[in-house]
Amino acid sequence: MKGRVLDVGGKRVGKRGSFRPPMEAVQNWEYLNTDESTEPDYCCNAEAIPLPDESIDTVIMTELIEYLPDPKKVLSEIYRVTKDGCHVLISVPLLNPIHGDHWADRVRFTPVALREMAQESGFQLDTIEAMGSVGAVIYDVLRVSFGYADSDGNYTKCNKLLEKSRRFFSWFDKKTSQQKKYINTGYFMVMRKSKARIASGKHG
């Protein structure tokens, strides 16, 4: 990640998880979010980003496009604001329960759909990798069933037991890693804007 980074859907306030990206080559990290309480630099949706053409060096968009009414339009807008050579990092769920904010969780994507969206928006798809396998999928389903899907709170003890079993599911996930092609929790992909490639008619 380098230069001017646009974190689409990211949160300055209220971050989840412990991951913190490398910042050595980052000049400025800017947030775009529709939730004003997260204190974004741009409080708007990603279909109309208030930035000039070719002004961003890196885009990160994690666990977001499943919520978007028109993800292709958003990717086209991201293409507009990114510089030539810009990398776009995206993660999406696949075999994953409907999210807790179920009123906005719309869709899941396969590699075929992701490649098509990248190509149609003008990006070159550099890599696409499956995340998690059988163990991770089972763990996520149980975690949700014992968590926010359990509206009556009947499975609190089961949830605590599940937490203690994380090492087993991690081991099982590694044992079944060869099945990622068909059974996984989602995908992480890296796209790149390449005007030269588009000009030659060779889309990703």
Side-chain angles (χ1 to χ4, degrees):
M1 300 180 190
K2 64 180 182 179
R4 189 178 179 186
V5 177
L6 181 63
D7 193 338
V8 181
K11 299 179 179 181
R12 185 190 306 279
V13 175
K15 291 180 182 291
R16 293 188 297 177
S18 59
F19 171 74
R20 294 296 177 267
M23 300 291 286
E24 292 81 4
V26 173
Q27 296 173 1
N28 198 35
W29 193 285
E30 303 171 24
Y31 294 88
L32 185 151
N33 202 300
T34 57
D35 184 353
E36 190 174 353
S37 69
T38 65
E39 299 183 10
D41 298 277
Y42 312 102
C43 189
C44 61
N45 67 50
E47 293 184 2
I49 302 173
L51 287 171
D53 295 355
E54 302 184 5
S55 56
I56 295 296
D57 299 287
T58 307
V59 174
I60 179 171
M61 190 162 61
T62 57
E63 309 301 300
L64 176 68
I65 64 174
E66 67 269 21
Y67 292 106
L68 301 176
D70 193 345
K72 292 181 181 179
K73 186 174 182 179
V74 169
L75 289 182
S76 294
E77 180 67 351
I78 288 174
Y79 186 88
R80 179 188 69 79
V81 302
T82 51
K83 299 177 183 178
D84 188 28
C86 170
H87 285 88
V88 181
L89 289 70
I90 296 177
S91 67
V92 297
L94 180 64
L95 299 179
N96 194 286
I98 293 175
H99 299 338
D101 40 3
H102 56 85
W103 56 90
D105 190 7
R106 287 182 165 82
V107 69
R108 298 292 182 264
F109 296 90
T110 66
V112 173
L114 293 171
R115 289 191 184 95
E116 289 175 347
M117 283 198 302
Q119 182 176 3
E120 290 173 13
S121 58
F123 288 102
Q124 174 184 336
L125 181 58
D126 282 356
T127 62
I128 180 167
E129 298 181 17
M131 301 185 293
S133 189
V134 180
V137 170
I138 295 173
Y139 180 86
D140 279 354
V141 171
L142 292 175
R143 180 178 56 84
V144 171
S145 65
F146 299 156
Y148 63 77
D150 176 27
S151 58
D152 296 326
N154 295 322
Y155 297 105
T156 303
K157 291 182 180 180
C158 291
N159 197 25
K160 291 180 179 179
L161 180 61
L162 181 64
E163 284 296 313
K164 293 179 180 180
S165 305
R166 292 181 72 170
R167 287 187 178 181
F168 165 76
F169 285 99
S170 178
W171 169 83
F172 187 54
D173 201 60
K174 291 176 182 177
K175 288 293 184 180
T176 57
S177 61
Q178 74 279 3
Q179 299 184 36
K180 278 186 177 182
K181 182 177 180 180
Y182 303 101
I183 304 171
N184 62 71
T185 61
Y187 296 94
F188 181 83
M189 68 177 183
V190 178
M191 305 188 305
R192 179 161 45 93
K193 182 174 180 178
S194 176
K195 286 185 175 180
R197 188 176 181 88
I198 297 304
S200 68
K202 298 176 182 178
H203 292 257

